[in-house]
């Protein structure tokens, strides 16, 4: 989310461009799904420009990406790149979170309203606190437990960024999700260019190959 339709268009185009570069760097490999995440984030912000314009279809598409898709896509992409057992469990958790979120999006119209210098969405999610906790554990847990120093850095920044963005949104000051998406995209662009052996870090308690089962 950004603070205006123009900001969403500019940020979305920039993030998507970084995503193209990350995909080209990753090539046809197990890293491709995660390298393509900036493309999804960029498209998400471009769609939100339509939400500012009042388009109902844009509200629905925005909610589909933000709610059921991301908590499943991110840990699954991390698992595909790292084959870590923890990422596989996070993918299962993400799927468990995505199902009720998908039903919520499909069951009623997605509403949006201007909230200060950002947008607020109303979807009617059941047990929002529980689902939010599962969402964050699935996404951040997969990144932090990836065994890759770039992805762990991304997980730490994403967790801190979510806290800061949420606080600023509650104050109705301004949305900073677009800045977080841009930073995440740059990190993934850098990650896509580094060989898996040089970015991976093996913990003292998990020998090489033990997370691939």
């Amino acid at each position: 989310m950004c603070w205006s339709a123009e900001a969403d268009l500019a940020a979305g185009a920039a993030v998507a461009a970084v995503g193209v570069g990350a995909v080209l760097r990753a090539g046809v490999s197990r890293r491709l799904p995660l390298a393509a995440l900036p493309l999804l984030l960029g498209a998400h912000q471009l769609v939100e420009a339509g939400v500012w314009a009042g388009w109902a279809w844009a509200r629905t598409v925005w909610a589909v990406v933000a709610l059921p898709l991301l908590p499943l896509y991110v840990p699954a992409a991390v698992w595909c790149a790292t084959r870590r057992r923890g990422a596989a469990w996070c993918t299962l958790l993400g799927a468990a979170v995505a199902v009720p979120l998908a039903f919520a999006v499909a069951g009623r119209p997605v509403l949006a309203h201007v909230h200060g210098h950002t947008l607020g969405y109303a979807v009617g999610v059941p047990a929002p606190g529980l689902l939010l906790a599962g969402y964050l554990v699935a996404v951040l847990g997969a990144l932090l437990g990836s065994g890759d120093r770039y992805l762990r850095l991304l997980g730490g920044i994403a967790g801190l960024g979510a806290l800061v963005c949420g606080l600023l949104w509650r104050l109705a000051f301004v949305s900073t999700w677009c800045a977080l998406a841009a930073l995440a995209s740059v990190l993934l662009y850098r990650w896509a260019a580094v060989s898996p052996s040089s970015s991976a870090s093996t913990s003292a308690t998990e020998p090489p190959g033990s997370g691939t089962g």
Side-chain angles (χ1 to χ4, degrees), residues 81-100:
T82 66
R83 291 298 196 267
R84 284 272 178 163
R85 186 177 293 112
W89 285 110
C90 288
T91 302
L92 291 176
L93 175 59
V97 169
V99 169

Side-chain angles (χ1 to χ4, degrees), residues 167-208:
L167 177 61
L168 291 177
W169 186 89
R170 284 184 176 276
L171 295 174
F173 173 61
V174 67
S175 175
T176 51
W177 282 108
C178 52
L180 179 58
L183 180 56
S185 299
V186 170
L187 283 172
L188 286 172
Y189 177 80
R190 171 62 178 160
W191 167 81
V194 178
S195 66
S197 60
S198 62
S199 63
S201 59
T202 303
S203 69
T205 58
E206 186 171 8

Side-chain angles (χ1 to χ4, degrees), residues 12-202:
V15 169
V18 173
V20 172
V23 166
L24 293 175
R25 282 187 159 197
V28 180
S29 69
R30 292 190 291 119
R31 292 185 154 209
L32 183 58
L34 191 55
L37 178 59
L39 283 175
L40 179 61
L41 296 178
H44 194 218
Q45 290 183 247
L46 292 173
V47 165
E48 193 176 56
V51 178
W52 285 99
W55 300 340
W57 68 266
R59 296 196 298 269
T60 301
V61 172
W62 187 95
V64 167
V65 174
L67 297 179
L69 182 56
L70 282 178
L72 178 59
Y73 184 92
V74 173
V78 172
W79 176 84
C80 185
T82 66
R83 291 298 196 267
R84 284 272 178 163
R85 186 177 293 112
W89 285 110
C90 288
T91 302
L92 291 176
L93 175 59
V97 169
V99 169
L101 291 177
F103 275 108
V105 173
R108 66 197 71 187
V110 177
L111 304 178
H113 64 279
V114 177
H115 179 75
H117 297 284
T118 184
L119 291 171
Y121 293 85
V123 183
V125 174
L130 181 62
L131 290 178
L132 175 60
Y135 191 119
L136 292 176
V137 170
V139 173
L140 300 181
L143 292 170
L144 293 173
S146 64
D148 184 292
R149 57 193 174 101
Y150 288 100
L151 298 184
R152 289 196 299 191
L153 176 61
L154 176 58
I157 291 175
L160 180 61
L163 179 63
V164 172
C165 292
L167 177 61
L168 291 177
W169 186 89
R170 284 184 176 276
L171 295 174
F173 173 61
V174 67
S175 175
T176 51
W177 282 108
C178 52
L180 179 58
L183 180 56
S185 299
V186 170
L187 283 172
L188 286 172
Y189 177 80
R190 171 62 178 160
W191 167 81
V194 178
S195 66
S197 60
S198 62
S199 63
S201 59
T202 303

